[in-house]
Amino acid sequence: CNDTFSLDIIVMPLIDLLIPNVVTPNGDGRNDLFSVSVDGIANLEVDIYNRWGNLIHEANVTVGDEEFVDLWDPSDVSLGVYYYVIRSVGVDSQGFIKEGSVTVVNE
């Protein structure tokens, strides 16, 4: 008696989004922009709010092969805490939302 079995295994890439909590837009070329580290992300939408809840920046970014994606240049805002909502879609077509704060300092 002969039998055959086959199984296809699909390995999905790791979906990861690393978000900084501090940016330093002092022009030294390091950490000047609000940039996120992406892996397995296809699309990002970001809204940035000031401490009064006013929307000050929004962006929609299609992610290619980049490791880091620039979402916001905070060089024209006051120092302080800002809040973000990032809606993202992974390469697996699953969406997720990250919310948090980022502090703009000048060091």
Side-chain angles (χ1 to χ4, degrees):
C1 176
N2 288 336
D3 198 0
T4 306
F5 177 78
S6 115
L7 176 65
D8 291 330
I9 298 176
I10 299 172
V11 178
M12 298 301 290
L14 175 68
I15 307 293
D16 200 13
L17 178 63
L18 297 174
I19 305 168
N21 61 358
V22 174
V23 291
T24 57
N26 57 10
D28 67 356
R30 296 181 313 160
N31 206 27
D32 288 333
L33 303 174
F34 182 58
S35 300
V36 295
S37 172
V38 295
D39 192 8
I41 304 291
N43 187 37
L44 293 168
E45 292 179 19
V46 63
D47 295 330
I48 307 286
Y49 299 90
N50 64 16
R51 64 182 177 180
W52 297 283
N54 298 324
L55 179 67
I56 62 165
H57 177 76
E58 59 186 334
N60 187 343
V61 179
T62 301
V63 180
D65 293 335
E66 302 98 308
E67 181 179 347
F68 291 93
V69 176
D70 299 334
L71 297 178
W72 176 45
D73 180 355
S75 61
D76 62 345
V77 299
S78 301
L79 303 180
V81 178
Y82 293 84
Y83 303 91
Y84 61 81
V85 177
I86 298 176
R87 291 171 296 284
S88 53
V89 177
V91 293
D92 61 356
S93 299
Q94 297 295 313
F96 58 95
I97 297 174
K98 298 263 186 161
E99 299 176 347
S101 64
V102 59
T103 303
V104 177
V105 297
N106 192 12
E107 291 186 10

